[in-house]
């Protein structure tokens, strides 16, 4: 009887070990995919309008209006109808704007 229980526990342990291995592989694959160029999260890819607006906490329409203002970050043209914003430039613009409002 005891041998049967040990065998059953060993089988369950093997199944759990295999499941853990599968989960680790899945997480590793997702992490790798998230850092490939052209995917969100890649700092060199730049941010599209939706991501840039979200970073600044504004709507896309407001982002398009801000583009017309002098001193706002100019996007990089990456295609005929596609632009990207440099995250660091957006954050620097946002901080400069906060600093100028605080100084007033």
């Amino acid at each position: 009887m005891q041998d049967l229980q040990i065998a059953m526990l060993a089988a369950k342990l093997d199944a759990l070990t295999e499941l853990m291995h599968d989960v680790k592989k899945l997480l590793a694959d997702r992490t790798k995919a998230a850092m490939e160029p052209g995917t969100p999260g890649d700092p060199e890819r730049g941010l599209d309008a939706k991501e840039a607006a979200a970073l600044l906490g504004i709507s896309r329409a407001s982002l398009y209006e801000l583009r017309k203002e002098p001193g706002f970050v100019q996007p990089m043209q990456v295609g005929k109808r596609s632009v990207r914003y440099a995250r660091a430039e957006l954050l620097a613009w946002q901080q400069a704007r906060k600093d100028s409002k605080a100084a007033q």
Side-chain angles (χ1 to χ4, degrees):
M1 186 73 169
Q2 201 173 23
D3 290 339
L4 180 61
Q5 289 175 336
I6 291 172
M8 288 175 54
L9 286 174
K12 287 180 181 181
L13 181 61
D14 289 342
L16 285 173
T17 302
E18 187 176 333
L19 181 62
M20 281 181 41
H21 179 267
D22 292 346
V23 168
K24 284 182 181 179
K25 185 177 182 325
L26 179 63
L27 288 173
D29 290 347
R30 285 190 177 179
T31 301
K32 181 181 174 187
M35 293 312 295
E36 289 179 358
T39 61
D42 179 10
E44 293 185 19
R45 180 184 67 84
L47 304 174
D48 63 21
K50 183 177 179 180
E51 294 165 332
L55 178 69
L56 298 175
I58 60 175
S59 67
R60 281 190 293 174
S62 296
L63 179 71
Y64 297 137
E65 289 300 314
L66 282 172
R67 277 178 57 175
K68 299 174 187 176
E69 290 185 12
F72 186 69
V73 176
Q74 291 304 304
M76 303 165 279
Q77 194 79 34
V78 294
K80 277 187 175 183
R81 298 178 57 196
S82 181
V83 297
R84 295 282 186 260
Y85 294 85
R87 178 184 174 86
E89 291 180 22
L90 288 170
L91 292 173
W93 174 85
Q94 187 178 44
Q95 187 61 47
R97 188 170 178 180
K98 285 179 184 177
D99 292 345
S100 69
K101 284 185 177 183
Q104 293 177 350

